[in-house]
Amino acid sequence: MLVVPELICREATADDWSAIWPIFAAVVSTGDTYAFDPEIAEADARAAWMLEGTRQQTFVAVDDDRVVATAIVKPNQPGLGDHVANAAWMVAPSTAGRGVGRRLAEHVLDAARAMGFTAMQFNAVVETNLRAVGLWQSLGFDIVGTVPGAYRHRAEGAVGLHIMHRQL
Amino acid sequence: MLVVPELICREATADDWSAIWPIFAAVVSTGDTYAFDPEIAEADARAAWMLEGTRQQTFVAVDDDRVVATAIVKPNQPGLGDHVANAAWMVAPSTAGRGVGRRLAEHVLDAARAMGFTAMQFNAVVETNLRAVGLWQSLGFDIVGTVPGAYRHRAEGAVGLHIMHRQL
């Protein structure tokens, strides 16, 4: 595996959106990993992804001044469920397979702990996205259950969505 | 069981909020069935509950001109997951046990089908809420999985949240 020794993981700023949007658009366009409409409008993507606050935040991984991956963390439920974080990751297709996703994931797990979350839950891991499923399992996530046919995969048709979870 | 023979189930209008809010406030105040903050502000509750559109809607059950229960339906995911509905129900505590919840549920299942949804998913059924779990199982829902400790139950402490699902 090629490595990215200078990778810096940090909170995103509003100025990062112009570099995040091409990654977001490329990732959702394939219709095989995210529920977002593959033709989502930029404004809707920005509203969904650019979070700011003490309980929700957007992150980027930067390699030599280039944003190569991004992640978000937010409460998975309000009120009496807000100790469980929800999170999502996107890696630039040109960077996939170089360990960037894992390193940003480890950064975000630490950040979520620092934000006071005691667990993390994913609601919609596409069951055919074996790279993601394997990454999360290697990072300590369990598959809590699989909702059958809940995702209209562009190539595979209706496939299941895993709910995955780990304590932090 | 007492029955409510004249119960009418229909879409809610903005004017119904004044009758829905006391039900909402009473249901969430006990901290044993919903993740919403038990002391949620009315404006936040209204924003969360009063939905309007072709893909999201609020319903009420009316007994002799009195709103006795309410429900919402919306897509559980955007885009490629929006064929699966999410829904939630609240019954006035004074009316609980009279079959109102079940009748509103049957109405809303039909309405969700008419809205084009092909399945329904709940993300956060409190595992100690045996009345709700039993109702949904009797209406054809399966427990897909249980997220451990994801709900801070006011009396029981950390308890699990069931994900439940059925085809429509």
Side-chain angles (χ1 to χ4, degrees), chain A residues 31 34-38 77-84 121 123-124 144-152 154 161 163 165 167, chain B residues 31-32 34-38 77-84 121 123-124 144-152 154 161 163 165 167:
Chain A
Y34 269 88
F36 292 117
D37 181 342
Q77 294 283 346
L80 302 178
D82 72 357
H83 56 297
V84 181
Q121 177 179 341
N123 303 306
V144 168
T146 306
V147 185
Y151 185 72
R152 303 194 305 278
R154 278 257 166 126
L161 291 175
I163 291 94
H165 173 269
Q167 304 295 339
Chain B
D32 56 1
Y34 268 88
F36 292 119
D37 182 342
Q77 294 283 347
L80 302 178
D82 72 357
H83 56 296
V84 181
Q121 177 178 341
N123 303 306
V144 168
T146 306
V147 185
Y151 185 72
R152 304 194 303 279
R154 278 258 166 126
L161 290 175
I163 291 96
H165 173 268
Q167 304 295 338

